[in-house]
Amino acid sequence: TWDSVMVATVIEELKVPGNMELFNSLALCYSLNLYCDLLTAEQQITESNNNVTWVLALSANLTTITSSWDMSGTELVQNFTQVTELAAYLKGIDIYKGLVDFGYDKGFSVDNQVSLFSRGIIRWGGPLGPAAGNGNNENENEDGSDLTTEQREEQDEAGDEQRKDYIVDNFLKEMDRLSSEKTHSTINSYYLMIALLFDVLIGIVQQDALLALFSLAFVFIWLRVNTGSWFLAGVGILEIFLAIPVAWFIFAVVFRINYFGFLNALSIFIVAAIGADDIFIFMDAYKQSKHKHPEHLSSMEDRMSWVYRRTGTAMAITSATTCAAFLCTLITPLASIQSFGIFAATVILIDYVLVMTLFFSAVVIYHDRFEDRSCFGCCCTNCSKTDPSPTDAAQEALENRDDDNEEVKGDRVSEFFRVKVAGFIQKPMNRLILAVIFLSWLGVAVWQTSKIEATKESEQFLNEDHPLQKSITIINSEFPTADDDQGLKVYYTWGLGEVDRSGVNLLLDPENFGSPTYLESFDFNEECQTEMMKACDKLKTDPQYRGYIKQKGGLGLAYCFMEELGAFYVKGDLSDCTYVQQGEWRNEDWQVPGSELASVMEGFLQERSCIDPTETIPDRYGNEMGWDGTRMRYASFAIESEVLNPFSQDPEAFTRGQYDEFVSIAKELDSAISPFCSGPVIMTDLSTKFVFMNNQAIYVQTAIQSSILGVAIAFVVLLISTRVFHIAFFASLSIVSVLVSVTGTMVMLGWNLGSIESILIGVIAGFSVDYVVHLAHAYETASGETSERLSEAFGDMGISVLNGMVTSVGASIPLFFCQLQFFAKFGTFLCLTITFSWLFANFAFMSVLAQFKIPIKKGGCRL
C-alpha cells in the first residue's frame, strides 16, 4: 500500500538544503555497511550521533516505501503529484536512484518534475532451459554441473530465437498497432527489442533492394529509348549486371581479397551510371558514323573500326580517370574503404571491357539483322541479314547528295547541342552571365563548405522518421545512463603487450587482427593484487570519477575479480554473499600467494558470482582473468562508462573527450600499480567503440586526401591523354568546382561530416570526371578554330553526356526513399554530383575554352 503520510515526511526531510548531500555521504556506510573505512575523520562518527540516527531513520522509511514496488498491485496510486515528487528526490539519492532513473528523461529533476519521455521494460521471460524439464536448474547440466560458457551461449541463442518467434507470431502485430502514430492522440509510443532488430533490418534491406530495382529498371528503359532496340537495351543491362560477378571473380579469386564490405554494394549503382554512359557514347558514335565521311562506310568492318577507335579512346580515358580516382581510397588504412575502392575500380574496368567486346558484338548483330526491319526494336518474323545493309544504305545516301559540301544533319538532340547550345556558349554576353552565375554560386558554396564540421550527434542508421530509429535516438539522447542500462566496458590490463600485427592484412584475411603478446615480466604477486584492489576501491568511491564511471547503488560500477578471489581464498567458497559483498574478508590475509594460485584458481573457477548470481565466475570475469591453467598471464579490471554505451555511434569529438579521461585514469593507475605488477597498463574496450572513434577521424582525413589526390590524378590523366595543358587545367578546375558545390550543398541540407558523408566526399572525384573528360577529349580531337571545335564537341558528345546525366539522376531518385540512411544519402549525393558535373562541364568548362580561345598545336609536344 502507498503510505502518503510517510512519503510526505520523507519528501519534507529531503527538501531541507544539504540533507540529500549528507545522506549520500553517510548512507553507503551506515545503511549498507560498505566502505566505512573510506569515510573521512569528520564522517567517522558514532551511531549515537544525530546525523547517523537521521540517516538510519530516513533509510528505513525509504526501504519501507520502496519494498512494496513489486508490480503486483491492482490499482495505481492516485496521488500522481506526490509519486512524481518522490521520484524526483529519489533520483538524487545514490543508493535509491536505480529504482526510478530508468523511467525518466535527462531533464527530470527536483526543479523540473516533468518528463517529456518515459520508458519501461517488459520482461518476456523465455523458454525453459534444456534441463528445466527434469527439475534441474536451467544453468546446470543433468548431472548437476554448471554449463560451460559455450553451452550457455548456445542455450541463450536458442532461447532468444524461440522467444523471438513466439513474440512475432503472437504479439508483433499488436505492438506495431500500438506504436502507430494514429493509435493515440496525445502520446507516441515506440518499442525496441534487440531480438527483433535483425528481422526488422532484413525487411528494410529487402524494401530498399526493391527500390534499387526501380533504379535499374529506369536505366533499362532509358537504354531502350536511346538505342531504339529492345535487343540492345537487353544486352546493355546484361552487360551492366555481368560487370559485377566478373569483377567479383577478379577481386576475390585473382586478387584474393576476402574483405567484401557493405560499401561494395554501392558498385551496382556506380556501374549502372557509368555503364549506361559508355553505352550511350558507343551508340551515339555508331549513329553519327552514318553521317560522317563516306570512306568510313565502305564496309561494316570499316564503319565499326571507326566507331571502335573513336569511342575506345574516349572511354579509356574516362575509365582510367575514374578507376584511378576510386583507387585513391587506398591511401586510407581502413579496409572497408580500401575494399570499396578496389572493387569499384575493378567493376569500372570490366564494364569498359564488356562494352568494347560484348556490346560491340551486339551492335554488329543489330546492324546485320534488326536495324532496318525492326519491330519494336527487334525483328518480328524474318531475322536474316538485311540486304542492302544499313551501312551500304548510309554510304549511298552520302554519295547521292546534290552538294558534296552539304552538311548532313544528325538527330535532333545532337543538332540542338551542335547549333543551339554551342551557339549560346559562343556569345560573349551569355558567357558573362554564366560567369556571374557560376562565380556567385561558387562563392556561396565555398562559404558553406568552410562551415562544415564533424557531426556532434550520434550517427543514424535509418531515416529519422522510422519508428525503430526514433526509439534508438530517444533512448540514446533523451535518457541518462540508468542502473539498468549497459554502459561501455573499459578495461585496464597488466601483463599484455602491444598486439603483434606482423602479416596482418584485413583485405586478404578479415579475421586476422594480429596475435596477443604477453609480458613475461608480469607478476601477479600479493603486492600486485593489493594495489589492484586499492585501485578498484578508489574507482568505485572517489567522487572525481563521477561523470565518467557509471554509478550503481552509490558506487562506481567496476568489475574486479580480486574482490571475489580474495573472499574465496579466505573462506574457501562463495556461499555467503553477504560476507563477500560487505568485505569482512578484507580483515584477513586475502592475497593469494603465487605458490597457491593454481589450486585456488581451480576451485574459484567453479564458483558462481556473488555480485550477479546468474553468472559463473568465468562468465563474469572471463575477459578480466588471463588464467591459462598454470599461471596468470594477465590481470585486468573493467569499469562501465557513465555516458558511452556499446550500441550507439557517437560523434568522434564526444567519444574522444571520454577517451581522454580514461587515458588520464590509465596514467594514474600506471604510476600506482605497474611498479608492483612489473608491467605497464593497457587501456582499451572490446566493443570497438574507440576503434570507431579513430575511424571517424580517419574518414574526415581520408575525405580531404582522396579528393585532392583524385583531382590531381584526373589532371595528370587528362594532360597525358590530350597533351594540352590548358584543357587539362580547366577540366581539373571544373572537377574542383563540383567538389566544392557538392560539399557546400551538403552543408545547406544540414549534413555534418560523419562517416557516411566523409566516405562520399572522398569519392566525389571518381564520379565527377566523366562528363568534363568526354567533352575535353572531343574538343581536343576536333579540328578547326575554337568555335568549330566547340560545335563539333557538343555535336558529338552533347547527347551522350546528356543521356548519361539523365540515367544517373533517374537512377538516384528511388534511393531518396530508402530507409537505410547510407543509401538515402548516397542517392542525394549521386544526384548532386552528377547534376553539378553536367552543369560545370557543359556551361562552365566549355565557356572558359570559348572565352580564352587558346589555339591547339598539331603534332609534337603541345603543352
Side-chain angles (χ1 to χ4, degrees), residues 100-118:
V100 297
D101 62 353
F102 188 83
Y104 296 93
D105 64 22
K106 289 179 178 179
F108 182 74
S109 66
V110 173
D111 298 325
N112 177 41
Q113 296 178 20
V114 176
S115 182
L116 296 178
F117 300 92
S118 184

Side-chain angles (χ1 to χ4, degrees), residues 429-495:
M429 180 56 67
N430 293 340
R431 291 201 299 271
L432 178 61
I433 295 173
L434 289 174
V436 171
I437 294 174
F438 279 115
L439 290 176
S440 300
W441 162 250
L442 285 175
V444 173
V446 169
W447 170 54
Q448 290 294 314
T449 300
S450 67
K451 296 167 60 177
I452 197 168
E453 57 184 359
T455 181
K456 294 181 174 63
E457 300 177 353
S458 297
E459 299 198 42
Q460 297 182 351
F461 187 67
L462 300 172
N463 185 286
E464 61 181 7
D465 294 326
H466 192 278
L468 178 58
Q469 184 62 57
K470 284 186 176 180
S471 300
I472 296 172
T473 301
I474 291 171
I475 290 174
N476 287 337
S477 60
E478 300 297 341
F479 289 95
T481 303
D483 280 14
D484 290 330
D485 287 321
Q486 182 179 346
L488 177 73
K489 289 181 72 173
V490 180
Y491 294 84
Y492 294 94
T493 306
W494 288 263

Side-chain angles (χ1 to χ4, degrees), residues 314-334:
M315 287 189 290
I317 295 172
T318 57
S319 297
T321 309
T322 308
C323 286
F326 278 113
L327 289 177
C328 290
T329 57
L330 292 177
I331 65 176
T332 177
L334 302 180

